[in-house]
Amino acid sequence: MRRHLPVLLLAGLLLGAGPAAVSAVAAPQPALKIPGPLDGPLPLFTGAAATPQPLKGPWRPVNPALAADGRSGTGLAAGNGAASPLPGPLGIGTKRSSAFLGGSCTSLAFDKRDRLLALCSVPTGPVLRILDPAGLATIAALTLPARPSADRADQGGGTHLLVRADGTVLVPTNGGDLLHLAVDAGGFRKLGAVGLGTVLGRGERPFAVGAGYDGYDWVAGAQGTVITVPRGGGAPRALRLREPVAEDIATDPTGTYVVTRDALYRLLAAADGTPRIVWRHPLVTGVSDPQAGRVHTGPGTPPAMVAGGFVAVADGAQPPHVIVVRTGGRESRRLACSVPVFGAGAGSVEAPLVVAGRSLVVANAYGYNGLASTELGRTTTGGLARIVVGKHGCRTAWRSALISPSAAGVVSRANGLLYTVLKPRSAPDAWNLAALDWRTGALRFTALAGEGLGFNSDGGPVVLGPDGAAYAGSFGGLSRLKDSG
């Protein structure tokens, strides 16, 4: 799960009032920079320019219901497991800029005009924005229903979005609806909303949304209700798993995949559209550890589809394991591998797995217990690892001691670089965009995003834009890093 709700005590240091509940603004609002009070003495760049080495895949089938890979959203339900076909910066005169947006930006995507779509949580609730991708000015802002709880572990609407193939946007909201929006030149236009209150549990709100290959949009509620919504119109149908859901869902030609506190599920729609269970694979729930960097018990990642007929998730064990399961086959042969990552008593996984072809990268979140964990020179335990999935098991291709406390990374299929955000143990508190060689784990370069609280990833994603820039969501808003060469 992404940490989508700011800690209000610390938020007072940075945040102002949220935008009005409008779908457009009179004129683009110029971006205010995220404050970086001590970034002056910090190095702007380390390392050397990287040489592109494209990845060959294999890649999962393109989802016909979604916008193109890399543009449709940051959830694993949207595209190829955070493997973007777009190029990112190579470290050639890399320049930085930022936009102070009043809260953590947890979902990023692009519209048909190559503008950035950002779903951010401010103290008053979620706000969906259209941003100019170059200057980060706000073109339009739509305030969504507020979250009723101040608990940062609260699971509810307003943290996920999907961009469909026709350019429209789906957002599950705290109001209990699946909101359908058009993205026009000047702002958002409401096309409709499917009320889910009649099929959700008492007090339950929709959390995650995925576009199935089967003609249905799939929604998961925080209490474990899984819902199908026919794209052509019709009543939603539901199945209650009765196990809490705190992660995104994933879709594939073989079905829809949901991870609960206790298990990984493969689901299909029955003839009348009702979700049905194909199989259930139990997972280790784990025990509560105040230093683990987790905001809920159970698995720490959404299900991630791996080429070759596999689905992967990181469990809540200590040490955590990457569990890789075959999507088909007999129950006795379904588990492909279980690979321990990081050290016992010093490892946990919270950021989504980054998948490219038949391998995946996992990041250690141990020690990230909120914004204060990385202030005043402090940081987390750290660690990254790449796991390769083979026909007869899995192996660890490389390990890295680099520290990425809370960012959701992305890999470029065009240049073979893995992008994430690092926070070293030193003061001032530098947050750096980092580019690693996907194949070897070698660090190619870092570029300073900024210093201090506002640049804390706090669960925010890194995405690559059509213009070659990398965008990183953070507690204060959004950073942009782009080559000038």
Side-chain angles (χ1 to χ4, degrees):
M1 169 204 161
R2 303 183 185 98
R3 286 175 180 79
H4 54 268
L5 187 60
V7 180
L8 296 184
L9 179 62
L10 289 174
L13 299 175
L14 281 177
L15 305 184
V22 297
S23 61
V25 293
Q29 298 174 347
L32 298 176
K33 293 182 179 180
I34 299 173
L38 299 176
D39 66 357
L42 293 170
L44 297 179
F45 185 88
T46 64
T51 301
Q53 300 183 57
L55 301 178
K56 296 181 179 179
W59 309 115
R60 293 169 50 210
V62 173
N63 189 333
L66 288 176
D69 288 351
R71 296 171 177 260
S72 53
T74 47
L76 291 175
N80 269 281
S84 174
L86 302 171
L90 295 172
I92 305 171
T94 308
K95 302 295 184 182
R96 62 180 177 134
S97 59
S98 67
F100 175 65
L101 299 176
S104 298
C105 296
T106 55
S107 285
L108 302 173
F110 296 90
D111 71 3
K112 287 190 171 183
R113 296 172 175 84
D114 291 343
R115 300 175 302 181
L116 193 64
L117 302 176
L119 185 53
C120 309
S121 289
V122 305
T124 55
V127 178
L128 180 60
R129 299 174 185 267
I130 303 173
L131 301 174
D132 169 53
L136 302 181
T138 295
I139 297 169
L142 177 67
T143 298
L144 300 173
R147 185 177 296 104
S149 170
D151 181 0
R152 77 187 187 105
D154 177 27
Q155 305 298 295
T159 60
H160 295 263
L161 65 83
L162 284 181
V163 183
R164 283 177 158 175
D166 62 3
T168 62
V169 174
L170 294 179
V171 186
T173 77
N174 289 305
D177 297 327
L178 181 62
L179 186 61
H180 187 198
L181 299 169
V183 185
D184 296 331
F188 298 104
R189 176 167 47 89
K190 183 177 177 180
L191 298 177
V194 178
L196 305 175
T198 58
V199 290
L200 288 167
R202 183 184 179 92
E204 185 177 20
R205 284 168 290 140
F207 174 59
V209 59
Y213 289 66
D214 53 5
Y216 295 93
D217 294 314
W218 290 70
V219 179
Q223 296 174 15
T225 302
V226 180
I227 303 166
T228 53
V229 179
R231 287 196 198 105
R237 305 274 183 167
L239 168 69
R240 294 192 179 181
L241 299 177
R242 304 188 186 279
E243 299 167 5
V245 172
E247 301 293 348
D248 201 354
I249 61 180
T251 61
D252 184 82
T254 62
T256 294
Y257 294 82
V258 175
V259 63
T260 70
R261 180 192 59 198
D262 305 313
L264 171 64
Y265 288 85
R266 177 186 169 196
L267 304 169
L268 290 173
D272 66 350
T274 302
R276 66 177 180 86
I277 298 171
V278 179
W279 52 251
R280 177 185 187 272
H281 184 81
L283 296 170
V284 175
T285 300
V287 296
S288 177
D289 180 345
Q291 297 300 315
R294 303 293 310 284
V295 292
H296 61 83
T297 58
T301 69
M305 309 310 301
V306 180
F310 301 96
V311 57
V313 66
D315 67 15
Q318 189 57 267
H321 289 65
V322 172
I323 307 296
V324 181
V325 176
R326 296 177 179 88
T327 57
R330 300 189 303 274
E331 182 177 358
S332 61
R333 298 188 58 201
R334 191 162 297 136
L335 179 64
C337 65
S338 175
V339 182
V341 288
F342 315 122
S348 67
V349 181
E350 183 71 14
L353 303 172
V354 181
V355 181
R358 292 193 175 96
S359 67
L360 56 91
V361 166
V362 57
N364 189 5
Y366 196 86
Y368 187 79
N369 302 304
L371 301 166
S373 304
T374 50
E375 287 291 293
L376 301 177
R378 294 186 293 267
T379 193
T380 59
T381 302
L384 300 164
R386 176 172 165 247
I387 309 298
V388 177
V389 181
K391 292 182 179 179
H392 305 293
C394 303
R395 63 179 176 86
T396 302
W398 53 257
R399 297 180 185 274
S400 170
L402 294 172
I403 303 172
S404 179
S406 60
V410 63
V411 61
S412 169
R413 289 148 53 175
N415 63 27
L417 294 176
L418 168 69
Y419 297 92
T420 188
V421 178
L422 305 182
K423 168 59 171 72
R425 188 180 303 279
S426 63
D429 294 309
W431 293 86
N432 298 292
L433 178 76
L436 288 73
D437 188 311
W438 176 265
R439 295 173 176 87
T440 68
L443 178 62
R444 295 306 182 199
F445 66 84
T446 68
L448 181 68
E451 187 278 336
L453 183 64
F455 294 94
N456 185 328
S457 300
D458 199 42
V462 181
V463 299
L464 305 178
D467 60 353
Y471 299 86
S474 69
F475 177 65
L478 191 69
S479 296
R480 178 182 188 263
L481 294 104
K482 187 178 186 301
D483 288 349
S484 61

